[in-house]
Amino acid sequence: MRPRWSGVFPAVTTQFHENQALDLAGTERHLAALLDAGVHGLIVCGSLGENQTLDPGEKAPGGGAGASCGSEKGAGAQRRRRDEHGGGVPYVRDCEKLGADGFMVMPAMVYKADGREALNHFRRVAAATGLPWMLYNNPVGYPVDITPGQFAELADIPNLVAIKESSANTRRITELRIEVGDRYALFVGVDDLLLESAVLGIDGWVAGSGIAFPRENQYFWELTRAGRWEEARALYRWFYPLLKLDTNIKFVQYIKLAVQEVGLGREWVREPRLPLAGAEREQILTIIRHGIEHRPTQGVS
């Protein structure tokens, strides 16, 4: 039987020391805070986790660090091992042995595949594991778009259980429901479209910016589940400038700075990224500190 994934699956940062070495203890502390807030799964070593800067051996501790991990991303992005599918086939096999509970799979990253090639990639990676997985559709950031019709073609893959829809087009929510019904658990992956997507009907949220505000993030999600739309709208207005930190090319630096400001981690990133500096850093700090200063207390525990 297919598992039915639902709820908040935050994408988490990989914590580093200032010298860019892995900070596993810092990463585990942040994971513990997220679990304590009541999240339903964890996505580690993804884009926010700086997957592309990690060596295969560095990912292994991350994949095994959390017994509650809902997904282990990067199956379509790792290209350090010889494989025609971006390292995805050996990577999912390795992570399955390490105890990952599932995967989030994106297109191969160094080539813009056409539809036939993209579907072949996903089928080949899916066949390498018996674990459930989520297909990450992000045509904005990774220029391959899996359409609702193509998701219908993929419906015969038994362990493809969920979609992370990050096209930034809320029409897709309805189009997917019309095309494939409830065949897949449907997660939104664009933070500042969460409320709109929830109204249209989704099963989960791959949260980004909310990892700096895990209790507020979880409460916001629960308001949408309960249909308490007036309260959700009010909380959304506070949250919205913070959620937009996830929609910039420097989202990793922005979110890590927010995590640092609330005491849940550090801002250090691995090159080629650099920590924010100058006017840009002050601008983002202003947004973050305004959010902290006006942090809601009612209903959030």
Side-chain angles (χ1 to χ4, degrees), residues 128-180:
T129 179
L131 292 177
W133 61 282
M134 170 190 294
L135 194 157
Y136 181 11
N137 186 43
N138 184 352
V140 177
Y142 314 122
V144 175
D145 187 14
I146 307 303
T147 66
Q150 289 172 319
F151 276 112
E153 292 184 51
L154 295 172
D156 62 335
I157 300 177
N159 58 340
L160 173 51
V161 301
I163 300 169
K164 178 185 175 183
E165 179 53 54
S166 295
S167 65
N169 177 6
T170 53
R171 297 181 186 91
R172 279 291 176 89
I173 306 297
T174 301
E175 291 167 357
L176 282 163
R177 290 301 190 202
I178 291 171
E179 187 71 40
V180 296

Side-chain angles (χ1 to χ4, degrees), residues 2-285:
R2 298 188 190 100
R4 188 69 183 181
W5 286 347
S6 63
V8 179
F9 282 38
V12 300
T13 63
T14 302
Q15 288 291 299
F16 297 111
H17 297 289
E18 188 173 3
N19 66 359
Q20 300 187 44
L22 282 179
D23 180 3
L24 290 178
T27 300
E28 290 179 0
R29 283 193 296 272
H30 194 188
L31 297 183
L34 292 166
L35 291 169
D36 188 55
V39 302
H40 304 88
L42 295 168
I43 296 175
V44 302
C45 297
S47 301
L48 186 54
E50 297 175 76
N51 170 64
Q52 293 88 350
T53 72
L54 299 172
D55 292 327
E58 291 179 312
K59 295 180 186 182
S68 300
C69 285
S71 178
E72 170 79 19
K73 180 185 169 187
Q78 175 57 270
R79 303 195 67 88
R80 292 186 176 89
R81 298 175 64 175
R82 188 178 67 178
D83 183 87
E84 66 269 37
H85 298 282
V89 169
Y91 188 50
V92 296
R93 287 172 178 162
D94 289 347
C95 289
E96 187 168 355
K97 293 175 184 175
L98 288 167
D101 295 314
F103 301 93
M104 186 158 72
V105 184
M106 65 174 65
M109 296 291 288
V110 299
Y111 172 67
K112 183 178 179 180
D114 65 21
R116 182 175 64 95
E117 293 168 327
L119 298 194
N120 179 63
H121 162 76
F122 288 119
R123 287 187 181 278
R124 289 294 299 275
V125 176
T129 179
L131 292 177
W133 61 282
M134 170 190 294
L135 194 157
Y136 181 11
N137 186 43
N138 184 352
V140 177
Y142 314 122
V144 175
D145 187 14
I146 307 303
T147 66
Q150 289 172 319
F151 276 112
E153 292 184 51
L154 295 172
D156 62 335
I157 300 177
N159 58 340
L160 173 51
V161 301
I163 300 169
K164 178 185 175 183
E165 179 53 54
S166 295
S167 65
N169 177 6
T170 53
R171 297 181 186 91
R172 279 291 176 89
I173 306 297
T174 301
E175 291 167 357
L176 282 163
R177 290 301 190 202
I178 291 171
E179 187 71 40
V180 296
D182 294 326
R183 163 60 182 83
Y184 305 101
L186 186 52
F187 283 63
V188 67
V190 181
D191 277 355
D192 63 352
L193 288 177
L194 184 278
L195 183 58
E196 296 86 342
S197 300
V199 170
L200 293 169
I202 55 175
D203 300 290
W205 178 16
V206 177
S209 302
I211 65 172
F213 300 88
R215 294 195 177 278
E216 291 86 353
N217 197 86
Q218 194 67 27
Y219 182 60
F220 181 38
W221 172 255
E222 290 166 0
L223 288 176
T224 71
R225 296 302 88 191
R228 295 162 60 182
W229 300 115
E230 288 293 337
E231 295 167 84
R233 279 193 290 269
L235 187 57
Y236 199 42
R237 292 178 190 124
W238 163 78
F239 218 175
Y240 192 77
L242 297 163
L243 295 176
K244 288 191 75 66
L245 299 179
D246 191 43
T247 63
N248 186 280
I249 194 169
K250 291 188 180 180
F251 70 102
V252 174
Q253 292 97 315
Y254 290 2
I255 293 174
K256 277 195 160 180
L257 186 57
V259 167
Q260 177 170 278
E261 285 295 296
V262 299
L264 291 177
R266 302 300 301 275
E267 67 179 306
W268 310 124
V269 290
R270 184 170 280 183
E271 294 178 359
R273 291 182 178 89
L274 294 173
L276 299 177
E280 183 181 23
R281 189 174 193 275
E282 290 306 311
Q283 177 189 6
I284 301 305
L285 277 174

